[in-house]
């Protein structure tokens, strides 16, 4: 158990809908990262937040957004969902924002868009 | 942007043999290179990492080597065991906080 929690574990929804994925980092960690893992594209970095502020953006679509709240949990919002958004979504946390900090991954949320 | 290539995509070895997985990266600004193990139904777990000012690092049966000039790094697992069977990912990260992952290697260790 990494100490990172993600809810829900599974999510089934329809195209065009909007969903929110939630992540609670390890106690004391200030950084949260979001990743998408699909069969054809592997692990893709989406976005990184540190202590409530966006630090880096990866291949995140405009239909997707994220935020980190004062209690340090983070939410990833996916809107206007398409079939191709079906994937595993992981969040990870680390102590600080610096490169070289160990990232601890949560168990993931499996999203299926029908 | 950064591009990380990982080879091979699948690797099958006999228990007790060694396994080697190789990655190359493109961005010379990358300075941190972690390796993750992902078991079925779980999130990736860091198994070893190396920073750009180090050429080699070892932790029991696992070692990683880095050649900055050639922009490649490798994972070496010795005396493999069936529980080493999993998907392994390499990654390259910059100070900007971005990580780029390889496509993964499915390692199977046959008893």
């Amino acid at each position: 158990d990494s100490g990172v929690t993600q809810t829900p574990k599974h999510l089934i929804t329809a195209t065009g809908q909007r969903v929110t994925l939630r992540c609670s980092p390890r106690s004391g960690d200030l950084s949260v990262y979001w990743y998408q893992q699909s069969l054809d594209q592997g692990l893709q970095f989406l976005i990184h937040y540190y202590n409530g502020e966006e630090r880096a953006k990866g291949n995140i679509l405009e239909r997707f957004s994220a935020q980190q709240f004062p209690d340090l949990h983070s939410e990833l919002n996916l809107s206007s969902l398409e079939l191709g958004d079906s994937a595993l979504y992981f969040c990870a946390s680390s102590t600080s924002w610096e490169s070289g900090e160990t990232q601890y991954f949560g168990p993931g949320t499996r999203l299926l868009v029908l | 942007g950064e591009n990380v290539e990982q080879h091979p995509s699948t690797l099958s070895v006999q228990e007790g043999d060694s396994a080697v997985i190789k990655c190359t990266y493109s961005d010379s600004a990358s300075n941190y290179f972690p390796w993750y193990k992902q078991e079925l139904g779980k999130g990736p777990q860091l198994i070893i990492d190396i920073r750009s000012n180090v050429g080699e690092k070892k932790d029991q049966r696992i070692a990683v080597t880095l050649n900055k000039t050639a922009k490649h790094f490798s994972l070496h697992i010795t005396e493999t065991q069936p529980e080493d069977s999993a998907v392994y990912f390499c990654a390259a990260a910059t100070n900007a906080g971005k990580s780029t992952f390889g496509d993964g290697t499915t390692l199977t260790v046959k008893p």
Side-chain angles (χ1 to χ4, degrees):
Chain A
D1 184 359
S2 66
V4 177
T5 60
Q6 289 187 249
T7 57
K9 283 188 178 179
H10 303 276
L11 198 47
I12 301 175
T13 189
T15 54
Q17 296 297 305
R18 172 190 168 95
V19 297
T20 297
L21 312 184
R22 184 187 168 105
C23 169
S24 293
R26 291 188 324 150
S27 177
D29 283 358
L30 299 178
S31 269
V32 170
Y33 308 78
W34 284 98
Y35 296 91
Q36 179 192 56
Q37 186 175 38
S38 57
L39 282 174
D40 60 346
Q41 291 202 333
L43 264 167
Q44 299 283 320
F45 166 70
L46 296 178
I47 199 163
H48 169 203
Y49 275 84
Y50 172 74
N51 205 20
E53 294 193 6
E54 182 185 303
R55 284 286 304 179
K57 253 184 179 177
N59 300 320
I60 188 166
L61 299 171
E62 285 193 11
R63 300 184 285 110
F64 296 0
S65 64
Q67 53 184 327
Q68 186 179 26
F69 294 87
D71 68 352
L72 301 177
H73 90 272
S74 178
E75 293 181 356
L76 180 66
N77 300 296
L78 316 177
S79 62
S80 302
L81 284 167
E82 302 175 358
L83 296 178
D85 297 327
S86 296
L88 264 170
Y89 291 84
F90 289 104
C91 80
S93 74
S94 67
T95 307
S96 76
W97 55 268
E98 294 176 357
S99 173
E101 288 285 332
T102 300
Q103 293 186 26
Y104 296 88
F105 280 75
T109 292
R110 186 175 293 276
L111 173 67
L112 180 59
V113 182
L114 300 175
Chain B
E2 174 69 281
N3 182 47
V4 175
E5 293 192 1
Q6 183 173 344
H7 298 281
S9 56
T10 60
L11 180 58
S12 182
V13 299
Q14 287 295 135
E15 183 177 359
D17 287 351
S18 294
V20 180
I21 303 171
K22 298 183 179 182
C23 288
T24 60
Y25 63 100
S26 60
D27 189 350
S28 56
S30 291
N31 58 7
Y32 174 61
F33 307 92
W35 285 90
Y36 294 90
K37 176 183 181 182
Q38 187 175 21
E39 296 175 325
L40 201 60
K42 297 185 178 180
Q45 179 183 14
L46 179 74
I47 55 171
I48 195 166
D49 56 12
I50 193 165
R51 287 159 178 77
S52 59
N53 58 348
V54 175
E56 185 173 354
K57 183 176 177 181
K58 191 173 181 181
D59 183 4
Q60 298 182 335
R61 298 185 297 110
I62 296 173
V64 57
T65 59
L66 170 66
N67 183 327
K68 277 196 69 180
T69 304
K71 293 196 183 71
H72 66 69
F73 55 113
S74 301
L75 176 71
H76 304 252
I77 306 174
T78 59
E79 300 171 25
T80 53
Q81 302 165 3
E83 50 265 39
D84 293 330
S85 296
V87 180
Y88 291 81
F89 292 95
C90 63
T94 68
N95 279 334
K98 294 184 181 183
S99 294
T100 303
F101 286 75
D103 288 339
T105 296
T106 301
L107 173 64
T108 303
V109 180
K110 299 177 187 174

